[in-house]
Amino acid sequence: MIEVPGFMLADPELAVLLQERVAQGLSLVLGGRIPDSAPQTLWHLFQAVTVARANIRDQLPAGLGGRPLQRYFIGADGPAMSAGALRAGFTAVVGWPTGDAPGPDSKARPVPAGVTTVVDLMQRVDRQEPAEKLEAVVRNDPTLAFRLMRYLNSPGFGLSVEISSFRHALMILGYQRLKRWLALLVTSAIDDPDLKPLMQLAVRRGLLMEELARPGGDEALRNELFICGVFSTLDRMIGQPFDQLLKTIPVQESVASALVDDSGPCAPFLALARAVEAESAYDIREMAETLLLTVGDVNRALVKALVHAHSLTKG
């Protein structure tokens, strides 16, 4: 879907282009009000309208009449407001703000048992324990096994054979590649529905950070960046600051440095991913230049990451 600011509909050339794209199957979202100068023939092109927090009491443009439109809420300041918008009848929330990072006095949520199991498995993979010992851990948690198989056999994973067991996954992927995908299970083991958008954000962020580093050819760095991105929302999901949380969820020093104090080799990639999510054009350019990337490089990496994330998280 493409959002079109309402004021742009007064441009006759754009109007022709939009009608062509809709005929080809593209869905349009109206951003804001349609100006009086826009031809009414365009109004039927839109499937949804965005409603900003600041204009929450505004009515839809009169010309759209009784035709039902989906309403998308924008401008939420945190998960509570996002959830409230959905309860109030909005079809969707554009973005899902993460809220402030938890401080030392924040009330922590209990660490789910599934998270503990996955962290234990990651530590065993680090030690390269024999396959039979690793498989024994997985057998004790059927949900964990199901989620791992779903990820590995998803279309976006790109394997030419279907993974049938944990032992098979280890044989195909090796210890290090398997560890990065276990990191996904840490976030997916948190079953609170209100936190699911944060889990999906973490997946997208990890894939984007990995993709940004792909031209450098350093596979070890890419793996660290992926884990860094996936773990970067855990503080909000569990309610503990990273300097406390990482005492129970050990990670590489480069990942810990980025998450705790924004330093180390992973930090600039994390900063760039956050700038992309915030739609901050100035910060995107500045951080891209720091990493010797162009805006085009960032756009291409983002498209690849979004496609891959969709294939991993759909359903």
Side-chain angles (χ1 to χ4, degrees), residues 64-185:
L64 294 175
R67 187 170 66 85
L69 280 177
Q70 297 180 357
R71 295 189 305 153
Y72 298 163
F73 185 76
I74 58 176
D77 62 4
M81 183 177 290
S82 298
L86 296 178
R87 288 193 296 269
F90 283 86
T91 307
V93 174
V94 180
W96 193 270
T98 60
D100 296 330
D105 300 326
S106 299
K107 183 178 180 180
R109 302 179 184 89
V111 177
V115 172
T116 304
T117 301
V118 178
V119 170
D120 175 47
L121 193 56
M122 290 178 70
Q123 291 174 322
R124 291 172 181 268
V125 167
D126 263 344
R127 296 193 294 267
Q128 299 194 6
E129 292 189 2
E132 56 270 18
K133 289 189 176 181
L134 300 176
E135 204 163 36
V137 176
V138 176
R139 280 199 299 267
N140 289 332
D141 192 333
T143 301
L144 168 64
F146 170 78
R147 285 173 170 160
L148 181 60
M149 293 302 108
R150 186 188 67 179
Y151 279 134
L152 297 182
N153 289 314
S154 66
F157 202 79
L159 292 180
S160 57
V161 297
E162 182 175 349
I163 300 296
S164 57
S165 67
F166 186 87
R167 186 188 296 264
H168 188 200
L170 182 58
M171 180 180 69
I172 296 294
L173 300 174
Y175 284 95
Q176 289 309 308
R177 285 189 68 198
L178 181 60
K179 180 183 175 182
R180 46 174 282 132
W181 294 104
L182 289 174
L184 285 180
L185 299 181

Side-chain angles (χ1 to χ4, degrees), residues 204-284:
R204 293 195 303 270
R205 189 179 283 179
L207 290 168
L208 173 58
M209 291 170 62
E210 174 192 32
E211 200 62 44
L212 289 168
R214 189 171 299 281
D218 187 336
E219 184 177 358
L221 175 61
R222 292 203 306 272
N223 286 334
E224 291 174 12
L225 289 170
F226 179 80
I227 292 174
C228 181
V230 169
F231 280 6
S232 63
T233 62
L234 272 181
D235 59 335
R236 289 161 172 82
M237 296 177 77
I238 295 179
Q240 291 183 26
F242 277 117
D243 57 351
Q244 298 178 18
L245 182 59
L246 296 185
K247 293 176 182 177
T248 56
I249 303 179
V251 294
Q252 297 99 318
E253 181 60 32
S254 60
V255 174
S257 298
L259 297 179
V260 174
D261 53 22
D262 295 319
S263 64
C266 295
F269 291 91
L270 180 58
L272 177 53
R274 287 170 171 162
V276 170
E277 294 158 9
E279 302 178 21
S280 176
Y282 176 81
D283 291 332
I284 291 171

Side-chain angles (χ1 to χ4, degrees), residues 13-26 45:
E13 292 185 5
L14 177 64
V16 172
L17 181 61
L18 292 177
Q19 292 182 81
E20 292 174 351
R21 293 294 183 267
V22 169
Q24 294 169 1
L26 184 67
L45 298 177

